Amino acid sequence: MSEGSKGSSLAFGQVVIGPPGSGKTTYCHGMQEFMGRIGRKVTVVNLDPANEAMPYQCAVDIAELITLPDVMENLKLGPNGGLIYCMEYLEANFDWLQEKLAAFRGHYYLFDCPGQVELYTHHDALKNVFAQLAKWNFRLTAVHLVDSHYCTDPGKFISVLCTSLSTMLHVELPHVNILSKMDLIEQYGKLAFNLDYYTEVLDLSYLVDHLASDPFFRNYRRLNEKLVEVIEDYSLVSFVPLNVQDKESMRQVMQAVDKANGYSFGDQEHRSLEALMSAAVGADFHFTSTLAVQEKYVQSQDKAVEEEVMDL
């Protein structure tokens, strides 16, 4: 894995990014398990110095190099400043990372990254780490996770779209945006539009009109219109829905990521994938499609309306 060596073999993987609580660690665990079942050798690399309880098998852990509690205690920094220092320290110690990754040559890599949004929209340390990995012949896709509960609040959803667009432009990697925790979406509240409106990011003028019905947002209609124009002018943001416990959902996400970074699997993996998808439902996966999630959500809303009518 010598720097700039064109003769070294390609390595493929994902850098899993997103705000705190979006499900990055759970995603890495689920994707490691899913890919393992179809015969793909997966190595999970923890780049989050604040990540202590990891459910997955971690092959490379930044805690061996630096930890956030140590930085906060010794340098008297807060959590945000401490995370930035840790990423700058990692950037200054590329040789440590290169040596650790070299032990897993030929594997598929999942990089579990910190949850500080500024690291993907403003700061350059992680961006430089990704660029260095590219020089080592890594072909990476940025998998940006966003909690699906933001769909229930039009104002927050516009903010999420702006953050996703900013991240895509700053990180400069092939990018797949994910709406995570789709199995919980019916618990978050009523959606103003169908699910595909949010995943495909359709005509956002409807969202602005919906916001205008709120007295608070009515005063900011022109600002929201301009933000929506920026998002639509770039026409880059869309989402893939994800339920980690759903095999079909995991397959769709994996194929979107493989398409983004150019990974192509062999016949054996293809046969293993077909066998997994056609197998009986096991304890680890609940086989419900995104459509089923949407139908379940609609049914729960209809039932709630019926109960309200009965009470009247």
Side-chain angles (χ1 to χ4, degrees), residues 88-273:
E88 291 177 343
Y89 192 81
L90 174 63
E91 182 186 2
N93 289 272
F94 279 140
D95 54 341
W96 174 86
L97 183 61
Q98 185 177 22
E99 180 182 349
K100 291 292 183 179
L101 295 177
F104 302 96
R105 201 182 301 269
H107 287 212
Y108 187 95
Y109 298 84
L110 296 174
F111 293 89
D112 189 1
C113 298
Q116 188 178 358
V117 175
E118 291 85 353
L119 292 172
Y120 315 115
T121 58
H122 299 87
H123 202 261
D124 285 337
L126 261 182
K127 174 184 175 181
N128 294 337
V129 170
F130 300 156
Q132 184 62 49
L133 288 169
K135 293 179 180 178
W136 296 337
N137 279 340
F138 277 78
R139 297 296 177 263
L140 300 173
T141 295
V143 177
H144 183 225
L145 270 66
V146 174
D147 197 315
S148 60
H149 87 267
Y150 290 116
C151 295
T152 61
D153 187 320
K156 290 180 179 178
F157 187 66
I158 290 178
S159 298
V160 161
L161 292 175
C162 291
T163 302
S164 299
L165 178 59
S166 178
T167 301
M168 295 174 77
L169 297 176
H170 184 74
V171 172
E172 297 180 349
L173 284 175
H175 205 97
V176 176
N177 291 304
I178 304 289
L179 278 179
S180 63
K181 306 179 185 178
M182 289 302 300
D183 52 320
L184 302 177
I185 192 169
E186 68 269 12
Q187 301 178 15
Y188 293 139
K190 184 177 177 60
L191 296 180
F193 306 99
N194 287 335
L195 192 60
D196 59 351
Y197 177 88
Y198 300 93
T199 57
E200 299 301 325
V201 189
L202 302 174
D203 189 349
L204 294 177
S205 62
Y206 293 103
L207 207 60
V208 175
D209 292 337
H210 188 74
L211 273 174
S213 63
D214 188 317
F216 176 80
F217 287 106
R218 190 179 299 135
N219 298 327
Y220 301 97
R221 182 185 180 105
R222 184 162 176 78
L223 172 62
N224 288 323
E225 287 176 345
K226 293 302 180 182
L227 290 174
V228 163
E229 285 179 15
V230 171
I231 296 165
E232 292 185 330
D233 285 346
Y234 277 96
S235 190
L236 290 174
V237 184
S238 62
F239 294 94
V240 179
L242 171 66
N243 173 7
V244 174
Q245 296 181 333
D246 178 0
K247 289 187 293 184
E248 176 60 26
S249 178
M250 293 291 285
R251 182 186 67 83
Q252 291 176 355
V253 170
M254 185 187 73
Q255 290 182 336
V257 173
D258 287 348
K259 182 178 180 181
N261 64 15
Y263 181 91
S264 59
F265 47 76
D267 291 339
Q268 181 58 46
E269 181 175 312
H270 183 68
R271 288 194 294 269
S272 299
L273 179 60

Side-chain angles (χ1 to χ4, degrees), residues 48-63:
D48 185 356
N51 202 352
E52 296 178 349
M54 293 170 287
Y56 50 72
Q57 295 178 355
C58 182
V60 180
D61 190 354
I62 192 176

Side-chain angles (χ1 to χ4, degrees), residues 9-20:
S9 60
L10 292 177
F12 291 88
Q14 308 174 24
V15 291
V16 184
I17 61 179

